Amino acid sequence: MLAGVVMNEVIDSTDRLRRKVLIGMCINLGLAALILGIANLFLFAKKSPILGILELGYFVLSAWMLMDISKRPMRVWFLPCHTTILGSLVILGSASHNLEGVLFLWSIALPTVFYLALGKRLGFAASAVFIVLEMWVVIPNLTDTLLIPAKVFANLSLAYLCVWVVSHTYESSREKSVNELRYMALHDPLTQALNRRALVHSLEQKIVNIEYLLMLDIDDFKQINDSYGHESGDEVLVSVVERLQSICGEDYVYRTGGEEFIVALSSVLMKGQCVNCVTNRIQLELSGIVVQTQVAPIAITLSGGLVKNDEMCSYNQVLANADKSLYLAKNSGKNQVFYNQEPLDTRHCAEQ
């Protein structure tokens, strides 16, 4: 359910990086393109009018992109478009001038640009495609140069490869760190279940159609901690999460408090069954189980509060209603589920 979902602050860190990369490209490379475009049209001894016009076009595009992102979020196609045009200009520049013009040296900087702008997978693909095309242009020119062809080829290849490897390593490390932060932001460190922030994010963003929320709480958990120790209490928590996940799936189980859990009941999870029957089955399969801890076997029961996820209510109101139902279940003898301020009606569930 939350696969691929990123907490806002984690998304923003990558978006801000991509935005800064685009701004840097627009300003620095755009100005460089303006200077080179004028030089290719009017100043260089060997003029390249086509390349000059394209470079001036690149400057205009950079200026427009810079103005556009100052007014609105960055468009998805800006960076792929920008990097494609930049790589094409470098290849065309290498083809238009002999090697003494050293325009091919621009190619060494491109792997870093590709990875920063496009990410690891697209950056790798762009770097591979570019070096093949660049070498296809450069190698024929090695026979018509005052430079030593073997040294030009070796130094260009090795320098590009070095920058490519460093860029790939950096982006891989950055991507791994972002994924770790994403996981930490969404998961409980003890049980590895999804946490309250993940639940709130799902409810706010309406990632899936959550029809009901089942709030469960381990009965007399404080007594378990006091009698057997907190380590045994942790083992109980982990065991409950594992049992819930085996019944409902990892994407629907949240640990939202000390001994409090929530199961998000969607139409996918219920599979056409009535919510009373699904809830009753979950509660029965958990209550009365014996957790084999390192200290002693511990029998547990759970109380629950079931609430319909009303889209007209805020997620705080929905959670508060679930908590009220749970409170009623606790005060009415425990080891049961309340729904609409009454014990869950399970009279017809045995028939399904």
Side-chain angles (χ1 to χ4, degrees), residues 235-253:
E235 291 181 64
V236 169
L237 293 172
V238 171
S239 180
V240 169
V241 165
E242 290 175 349
R243 182 65 67 93
L244 273 173
Q245 290 177 337
S246 69
I247 298 170
C248 307
E250 295 182 2
D251 290 338
Y252 299 93
V253 178

Side-chain angles (χ1 to χ4, degrees), residues 11 48-49 52 61 63 68 78 81 109 112 115 155 157 172 186 197 246 255-256 283 296 315 326 332 341 346:
I11 294 177
S48 300
L61 176 66
D68 188 78
F78 272 12
C81 175
T112 300
Y115 276 91
N155 280 281
S157 301
S172 297
L186 294 171
R197 296 180 70 191
S246 69
R255 183 189 177 198
T256 55
Q283 201 266 341
Y315 68 85
L326 175 61
S332 301
Q341 300 184 347
T346 60

Side-chain angles (χ1 to χ4, degrees), residues 111-178:
T112 300
V113 174
F114 291 151
Y115 276 91
L116 287 174
L118 304 176
K120 186 172 71 173
R121 285 182 294 180
L122 288 178
F124 180 88
S127 299
V129 170
F130 174 81
I131 193 58
V132 170
L133 295 175
E134 179 70 359
M135 285 301 182
W136 181 68
V137 168
V138 168
I139 289 175
N141 289 340
L142 292 175
T143 58
D144 185 26
T145 179
L146 299 177
L147 303 176
I148 301 174
K151 288 187 176 181
V152 172
F153 179 80
N155 280 281
L156 176 60
S157 301
L158 292 175
Y160 188 91
L161 180 62
C162 180
V163 175
W164 187 356
V165 169
V166 170
S167 301
H168 187 84
T169 302
Y170 166 80
E171 183 59 24
S172 297
S173 177
R174 192 198 69 81
E175 189 175 277
K176 180 181 178 182
S177 297
V178 168

